[in-house]
C-alpha cells in the first residue's frame, strides 16, 4: 500500500514534551489571525542541531525507518522537518494529491528526493475528518512504473504532471490515515498524499 502507521511510538511523557515543543515553535512563528486551514513551519537543522532532531533521535524514528528500507541502504539523518498543522474549521476534502521534493528543487536544480516520509502525530487521528493525512494506496508503485517508462528525469518535468504535482497515473480511492496521538506514519516518498 506504500504506508504504515505504528501506534504507541511516543509514550505519554514524550508526547507531552513534543506537544510543548510544537507549541513553542508555533508561538515563535504564529499563523495570521483568523487563519483556518493548513499552516506549516519548515525548520532547518544546522550544525548546532534542533529540538525536532532531538525528538527524532529520542523517539527512535531512524531505527524504525531503517527497518523499512532495503538492506544496506544508508539512512542519513534529516536536515529539516515540517511542522504540519490544520487549523479548524477547514472541511477540506482533497481532490488530488502531490508528491514532496519536486518543488522547490534542490540548489543544483534536481528534485529533492528522499527515501520515505516520517510523521509523528501529536494529536489523535482516531477517526476520519480530524485533519488526517490522505493517502492514495498503491500509487507509489504506479509512479515507479511511470518513472521506469519515462526515465528518472521525468521527476523534474513537473509541467507534464497534473496539478499537484503528481503524474497522470491511476489514483484509485484515497484513505485517511487513522491512529492515536504518539503514532508514527511512514510513507514511500512517491506515495500520493495530501492534507485533510
Amino acid at each position: 500500500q506504500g504506508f504504515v502507521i505504528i501506534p504507541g511510538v511516543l509514550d505519554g511523557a514524550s508526547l507531552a514534551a513534543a506537544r510543548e515543543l510544537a507549541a513553542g515553535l508555533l508561538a515563535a512563528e504564529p499563523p495570521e489571525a483568523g487563519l483556518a486551514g493548513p499552516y506549516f513551519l519548515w525548520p532547518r537543522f544546522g550544525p548546532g542541531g534542533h529540538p525536532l532532531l532531538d525528538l527524532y533521535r529520542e523517539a527512535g524514528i531512524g531505527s524504525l525507518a531503517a527497518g523499512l528500507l532495503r538492506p544496506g541502504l544508508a539512512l542519513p539523518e534529516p536536515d529539516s522537518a515540517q511542522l504540519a498543522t490544520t487549523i479548524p474549521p477547514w472541511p477540506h476534502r482533497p481532490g488530488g494529491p502531490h508528491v514532496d521534493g519536486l518543488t522547490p528543487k534542490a540548489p543544483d536544480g534536481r528534485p529533492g528526493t528522499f527515501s520515505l516520509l516520517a510523521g509523528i502525530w501529536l494529536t489523535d487521528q482516531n477517526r476520519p475528518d480530524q485533519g488526517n493525512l490522505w493517502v492514495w494506496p498503491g500509487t507509489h508503485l504506479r509512479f515507479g512504473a511511470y518513472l521506469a517508462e519515462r526515465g528518472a528525469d521525468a521527476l523534474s518535468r513537473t509541467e507534464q504532471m497534473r496539478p499537484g504535482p503528481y503524474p497522470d497515473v491511476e489514483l484509485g480511492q484515497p484513505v485517511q490515515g487513522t491512529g492515536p496521538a504518539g503514532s508514527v506514519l511512514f510513507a514511500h516518498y512517491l506515495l500520493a498524499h495530501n492534507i485533510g
Side-chain angles (χ1 to χ4, degrees):
Q1 300 298 312
F3 72 101
V4 64
I5 298 165
I6 304 173
V9 174
L10 269 63
D11 62 20
S14 297
L15 183 58
R19 287 176 172 165
E20 186 175 330
L21 169 58
L25 292 170
L26 291 167
E29 294 183 58
E32 62 185 58
L35 175 71
Y39 180 68
F40 306 122
L41 298 178
W42 299 90
R44 299 206 56 83
F45 306 155
H50 192 279
L52 286 175
L53 182 58
D54 295 339
L55 172 62
Y56 170 89
R57 291 171 175 160
E58 291 163 10
I61 304 302
S63 297
L64 289 171
L68 298 172
L69 299 179
R70 183 180 69 233
L73 185 63
L75 182 69
E77 285 197 314
D79 60 5
S80 64
Q82 178 188 42
L83 179 58
T85 63
T86 304
I87 302 168
W90 196 59
H92 179 59
R93 301 183 71 82
H98 67 272
V99 65
D100 294 334
L102 302 187
T103 55
K105 297 182 187 320
D108 63 4
R110 292 182 301 157
T113 58
F114 47 93
S115 296
L116 46 78
L117 295 165
I120 302 172
W121 291 348
L122 301 184
T123 58
D124 281 327
Q125 308 277 305
N126 282 319
R127 62 182 197 277
D129 301 322
Q130 295 182 294
N132 309 50
L133 182 72
W134 290 56
V135 296
W136 279 258
T139 48
H140 65 302
L141 299 174
R142 294 186 286 281
F143 198 159
Y146 173 95
L147 294 174
E149 179 181 308
R150 290 167 178 80
D153 287 347
L155 277 173
S156 64
R157 296 192 295 271
T158 54
E159 72 281 357
Q160 296 177 7
M161 297 186 187
R162 67 175 68 203
Y166 207 79
D168 189 10
V169 299
E170 173 61 37
L171 294 175
Q173 293 299 311
V175 299
Q176 296 183 49
T178 58
S183 298
V184 172
L185 175 139
F186 290 107
H188 190 284
Y189 92 100
L190 294 178
L191 186 75
H193 64 281
N194 209 335
I195 192 169

